[in-house]
Amino acid sequence: DEDIAAALKHCEAAESFNHKEFFTKVGLAGKSTEDLKKAFYFVDQDKSGFIEEDELKLFLQTFSAGARALTDKETKAFLAAGDVDGDGMIGVDEFATLVKA
């Protein structure tokens, strides 16, 4: 909980979100692939099997309801970093790769 709070505080300002730093600060970067899959399904709000742009926009709010939404620029950069196959969504394997990168 402390790690999540610190990571959220670090990216409070608009345009300050960096997915690599965030994943490291909350401890996801060091997790097993199995744990990352569990985290993926937590972020996949509509349970479609993919994280779409609208879910990425609200990514920080999956960790804390009071967190800000990502800006359009941050959301598009986050999606571009994780969407390896270019389908406009992040699948579970793409998410695991993104977190470990």
Side-chain angles (χ1 to χ4, degrees):
D1 285 349
E2 285 179 29
D3 291 340
I4 292 171
L8 289 171
K9 182 116 179 97
H10 185 74
C11 59
E12 276 181 330
E15 306 303 332
S16 65
F17 177 75
N18 177 301
H19 65 275
K20 290 179 185 180
E21 288 178 8
F22 187 84
F23 291 143
T24 300
K25 287 183 183 300
V26 298
L28 277 176
K31 296 289 185 186
S32 70
T33 301
E34 193 60 38
D35 285 341
L36 293 179
K37 287 182 180 184
K38 289 176 188 171
F40 171 87
Y41 290 110
F42 186 67
V43 177
D44 177 20
Q45 296 289 311
D46 64 4
K47 308 301 178 214
S48 67
F50 295 95
I51 301 172
E52 294 93 1
E53 192 169 338
D54 59 333
E55 291 168 320
L56 280 181
K57 187 167 197 66
L58 303 177
F59 177 77
L60 297 177
Q61 294 174 5
T62 62
F63 292 89
S64 174
R68 72 176 178 90
L70 296 180
T71 66
D72 288 344
K73 183 179 176 183
E74 289 170 320
T75 303
K76 289 187 185 320
F78 195 7
L79 180 61
D83 182 19
V84 176
D85 62 10
D87 65 358
M89 303 176 285
I90 297 175
V92 66
D93 293 330
E94 289 172 316
F95 182 77
T97 300
L98 178 65
V99 173
K100 296 271 188 198

